[in-house]
Amino acid sequence: MKTHQENTDEIEIDLLEIGNVLLHKAGLILLLGVVFAVMGFIGTKVFISPQYMSTTKMVVLTKENNGNITNSDLQASSSLTRDYAEVIQSRTVIERVIENLGLDTSYDELLGHITVSIPEDTRIITISVTDQSPREAAKIADEIRDIS
């Protein structure tokens, strides 16, 4: 029959002693905090450029809005929304945007800055463009909307 021995080792922690050590090192702790904060600030200013996002939305309808929209018009519009989202990202539309705005970029580069999404169960297409310039992002998003 085995006997069960309990481990009765105790560790005593003196909180006052830990507080005194931290108090004596407070200057060093504060200095390191300031140094790391300054390094982080400089690093973000020098190495990270800001990115701005501009978003525009479109509603897809199959008829001109003359006040007489039927249920079948709405259903047809819902099925066309995905097709229009693909057309927006097509080479024809993107290259026309590049040409109209005189951008110095390629199709693949500009396409990498564009996000087209369709919220579920809607006829709305959301076009978002990310760029280093907020005005440029807005111009590109608006031009994509106008062309498509």
Side-chain angles (χ1 to χ4, degrees), residues 7-116:
N7 191 356
T8 58
D9 293 340
E10 291 183 14
I11 298 174
E12 187 176 314
I13 299 174
D14 186 3
L15 294 178
L16 196 55
E17 184 179 341
I18 293 173
N20 283 335
V21 170
L22 288 176
L23 188 59
H24 283 90
K25 302 288 183 178
L28 180 62
I29 293 170
L30 185 62
L31 178 65
L32 285 174
V34 170
V35 166
F36 282 115
V38 169
M39 284 175 36
F41 177 77
I42 291 172
T44 56
K45 286 294 183 185
V46 172
F47 297 114
I48 299 175
S49 59
Q51 295 289 315
Y52 299 94
M53 181 180 285
S54 179
T55 301
T56 186
K57 296 183 180 195
M58 298 174 18
V59 177
V60 177
L61 293 175
T62 57
K63 283 185 163 183
E64 291 292 321
N65 190 1
N66 59 5
N68 298 328
I69 298 174
T70 65
N71 190 31
S72 63
D73 292 335
L74 293 176
Q75 288 175 345
S77 297
S78 293
S79 64
L80 286 174
T81 305
R82 295 216 183 279
D83 296 336
Y84 282 123
E86 288 299 316
V87 169
I88 288 169
Q89 298 177 72
S90 70
R91 184 173 290 276
T92 306
V93 171
I94 301 301
E95 286 183 348
R96 191 160 168 208
V97 168
I98 292 170
E99 180 183 321
N100 288 358
L101 295 178
L103 301 175
D104 185 27
T105 187
S106 69
Y107 162 77
D108 291 325
E109 283 181 49
L110 185 56
L111 188 60
H113 293 270
I114 298 170
T115 305
V116 179

